[in-house]
């Protein structure tokens, strides 16, 4: 019995630990979102996927949005640092993938009818406007608008590719070999760039470079270049050692 319940006890403790930390401390760099993603990967197969299969993608999106906003408005925004509205944004990605690739006639018609590029532009502008701190709007509004803009852009790009049409020039940047290579190890870069940047800063501080020194333009440029190239090189090595072996094994299967 102990063996069977131990994993679930560990998961419960991890979730509780994440909530306590998110309410009390600030995790450096981008690492705070990893725990939120981990929880989404449990919510997706056990809740969102069954809802999607039974009631469709629209109902799934509304469910995700409501679930994400319940902690904001029903618990006095107690867990805002955990960004629970990411559940709704996650379902927007699900909807974009479903509309973009589904062979269902109604979704194909939807994909080919709406002005997705214009919608992406409009919601990008709305995202920037609602992020303006002076408006006093909650963080979830701007981030959800940005999630909608990304979902619309994804659908637009997917339709362009399916129709063998070229993407706009500004988006063709992401098809450049350098951009494709960067994308291949982008998750490793996302995971470990924060500690690498911190280590570069500490290494420069070892030479008695005070934090104010970085406000001087030449030192700021030097710090930026060293931190950027160090992050790229170490992240790529991390990708080769830890990420690519798993990708290769999945490809073989």
């Amino acid at each position: 019995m102990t063996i069977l319940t131990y994993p679930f006890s560990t998961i419960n403790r991890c979730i509780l630990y994440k909530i306590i930390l998110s309410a009390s401390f600030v995790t450096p760099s981008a690492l705070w979102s990893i725990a939120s993603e981990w929880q989404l990967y449990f919510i997706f197969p056990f809740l969102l996927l069954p809802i999607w299969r039974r009631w469709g993608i629209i109902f799934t999106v509304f469910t995700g949005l409501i679930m994400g906003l319940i902690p904001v408005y029903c618990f006095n925004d107690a867990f805002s640092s955990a960004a629970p509205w990411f559940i709704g944004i996650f379902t927007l990605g699900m909807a974009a993938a479903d509309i973009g690739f589904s062979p269902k006639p109604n979704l194909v018609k939807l994909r080919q009818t709406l002005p997705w590029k214009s919608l992406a532009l409009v919601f990008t502008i709305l995202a920037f406007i609602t992020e303006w701190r002076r408006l006093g709007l909650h963080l979830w509004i701007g981030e959800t608008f940005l999630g909608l803009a990304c979902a619309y852009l994804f659908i637009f790009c997917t339709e362009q590719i399916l129709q063998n049409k070229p993407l706009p020039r500004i988006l063709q940047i992401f098809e450049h070999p350098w951009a494709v290579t960067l994308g291949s190890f982008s998750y490793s870069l996302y995971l470990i760039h924060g500690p690498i940047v911190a280590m570069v800063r500490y290494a420069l501080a070892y030479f008695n470079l005070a934090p104010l020194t970085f406000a001087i333009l030449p030192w700021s440029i030097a710090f930026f270049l060293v931190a950027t190239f160090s992050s790229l090189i170490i992240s790529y090595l991390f990708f080769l050692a830890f990420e690519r072996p798993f990708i290769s094994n999945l490809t073989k299967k």
Side-chain angles (χ1 to χ4, degrees):
M1 184 67 180
T2 303
I3 296 175
L4 291 175
T5 58
Y6 177 75
F8 298 99
S9 175
T10 302
I11 291 173
N12 291 336
R13 289 174 184 173
C14 287
I15 295 175
L16 180 61
Y17 184 62
K18 161 66 171 57
I19 293 173
I20 293 172
L21 279 181
S22 65
S24 306
F25 303 100
V26 177
T27 307
S29 187
L31 300 180
W32 70 270
S33 65
I34 296 176
S36 295
E37 289 181 25
W38 181 84
Q39 293 169 28
L40 284 172
Y41 296 147
F42 278 91
I43 294 173
F44 172 68
F46 294 114
L47 180 62
L48 297 178
L49 194 58
I51 292 175
W52 171 63
R53 288 174 174 170
R54 185 173 180 83
W55 289 292
I57 193 62
I58 295 177
F59 191 83
T60 306
V61 169
F62 279 108
T63 301
L65 291 172
I66 292 171
M67 286 179 58
L69 295 180
I70 286 175
V72 175
Y73 293 106
C74 295
F75 295 96
N76 197 26
D77 209 9
F79 309 123
S80 62
S81 57
W85 53 89
F86 276 19
I87 300 173
I89 298 175
F90 187 87
T91 60
L92 294 177
M94 291 175 58
D98 195 18
I99 296 171
F101 293 101
S102 177
K104 298 177 182 177
N106 58 329
L107 294 182
V108 171
K109 183 178 180 180
L110 184 65
R111 183 175 68 236
Q112 296 175 347
T113 303
L114 292 183
W116 300 108
K117 182 172 66 173
S118 300
L119 287 171
L121 179 60
V122 168
F123 277 90
T124 299
I125 295 172
L126 288 175
F128 278 101
I129 293 174
T130 52
E131 278 289 304
W132 194 27
R133 293 295 89 194
R134 290 188 180 181
L135 294 178
L137 299 176
H138 197 284
L139 192 61
W140 76 265
I141 299 174
E143 293 188 352
T144 302
F145 279 150
L146 186 59
L148 281 166
C150 292
Y152 296 149
L153 181 61
F154 179 87
I155 297 170
F156 167 73
C157 293
T158 304
E159 178 61 17
Q160 291 293 104
I161 293 171
L162 292 176
Q163 297 294 331
N164 293 318
K165 297 179 181 179
L167 294 175
R169 288 187 178 276
I170 192 171
L171 294 178
Q172 291 179 14
I173 297 173
F174 300 105
E175 295 181 321
H176 191 278
W178 287 8
V180 174
T181 302
L182 181 63
S184 66
F185 66 97
S186 59
Y187 191 70
S188 294
L189 179 62
Y190 158 70
L191 286 178
I192 67 173
H193 79 276
I196 294 170
V197 171
M199 286 189 290
V200 170
R201 188 176 183 86
Y202 284 124
L204 294 176
Y206 178 78
F207 296 101
N208 296 321
L209 296 174
L212 292 177
T213 307
F214 296 116
I216 303 173
L217 184 59
W219 283 111
S220 298
I221 295 174
F223 173 72
F224 173 79
L225 292 175
V226 172
T228 299
F229 285 105
S230 298
S231 298
L232 290 172
I233 293 170
I234 298 174
S235 297
Y236 185 69
L237 295 175
F238 181 90
F239 164 76
L240 293 177
F242 299 102
E243 188 177 352
R244 192 166 74 171
F246 290 95
I247 297 175
S248 300
N249 290 336
L250 288 174
T251 304
K252 290 178 182 177
K253 292 180 180 179

